[in-house]
Amino acid sequence: EETGLSIIQMNAKMDAGDVIATRPMRIDPVDTAGTLREKMKKVGPAFLLQTLESIESGAGKMPATQQDLARVCFAPKIRKSLGRIDWTQSAEMIHNLIRGLCPVPGAYTYFNGKTLKILAAEPADRDTSFEDPGRIIQVDPGSFTVATQTQGLKVSKVHLESSRPMDVRQFLLGHKILPGMRCELTR
């Protein structure tokens, strides 16, 4: 629900310096990693300049906050394999995976032996806890719904390998998707 920008004082350990200033930012329900990056690019330069000016003028003698060194950790590189959708997870978890990895490296599944990136989706109202996870349970003109551990995930934008990103409405013009078909964990 919230992220932000932090300005820290560098020290010998990676990202472990004292926090000089923070700027919290709300994560909107439709935000992706890409949209958050754009928001941060807009406010980041002014935030940095304001903090530097405050320090230079002496008004920045605010006490820096020491980080809890037990909680400082190295963030591993995001690999493509992290984006493989496990349909046995909850719709909310999968939805957040899609948002967190969009636009790159992307969250993906396999459909008819090809990699299918899911670019936009949202949890549906339909309970699918009794359904087979990964099974397509509903197809509408602009979306298709896939069963998860908890509820359906309504997919609205995709990118099939060797194709271009498109809305599901466009995708359905060239690809047959029917209830009962599956999104798979492997090819």
Side-chain angles (χ1 to χ4, degrees):
E1 294 177 3
E2 188 176 84
T3 188
L5 300 169
S6 296
I7 298 175
I8 66 170
Q9 185 171 355
M10 299 295 292
N11 67 9
K13 290 187 177 184
M14 177 70 82
D15 294 337
D18 293 348
V19 178
I20 298 169
T22 60
R23 168 84 161 63
M25 296 181 74
R26 178 172 152 60
I27 301 173
D28 294 323
V30 294
D31 274 330
T32 65
T35 60
L36 280 175
R37 188 177 303 113
E38 290 304 312
K39 287 179 181 181
M40 289 179 174
K41 283 169 53 175
K42 287 180 182 174
V43 301
F47 171 57
L48 176 60
L49 187 58
Q50 175 188 358
T51 303
L52 291 173
E53 288 172 348
S54 179
I55 291 169
E56 185 177 64
S57 72
K61 299 232 185 217
M62 58 193 118
T65 305
Q66 184 177 2
Q67 293 191 61
D68 178 356
L69 297 180
R71 296 183 65 198
V72 172
C73 61
F74 178 74
K77 182 176 180 172
I78 295 176
R79 302 196 184 286
K80 181 182 175 186
S81 60
L82 178 65
R84 186 177 58 83
I85 297 172
D86 177 356
W87 295 103
T88 64
Q89 292 184 329
S90 71
E92 183 179 354
M93 291 274 297
I94 296 169
H95 177 238
N96 288 335
L97 176 73
I98 293 165
R99 292 172 53 219
L101 297 179
C102 185
V104 289
Y108 64 93
T109 190
Y110 297 103
F111 183 75
N112 288 339
K114 291 186 175 183
T115 302
L116 179 69
K117 283 188 178 181
I118 309 293
L119 303 176
E122 63 183 345
D125 290 335
R126 184 171 170 177
D127 176 12
T128 60
S129 59
F130 57 90
E131 302 271 359
D132 184 18
R135 186 166 306 280
I136 296 170
I137 56 171
Q138 186 172 334
V139 180
D140 295 311
S143 66
F144 60 89
T145 304
V146 183
T148 73
Q149 178 188 41
T150 56
Q151 66 199 81
L153 187 75
K154 188 174 180 178
V155 177
S156 58
K157 190 169 184 182
V158 296
H159 183 184
L160 186 66
E161 72 178 76
S162 305
S163 185
R164 62 178 177 77
M166 61 185 83
D167 293 332
V168 167
R169 183 176 306 282
Q170 297 168 309
F171 183 75
L172 291 173
L173 294 175
H175 299 87
K176 189 173 189 173
I177 296 182
L178 299 170
M181 296 177 112
R182 295 192 49 79
C183 292
E184 302 289 343
L185 295 174
T186 61
R187 282 185 196 248

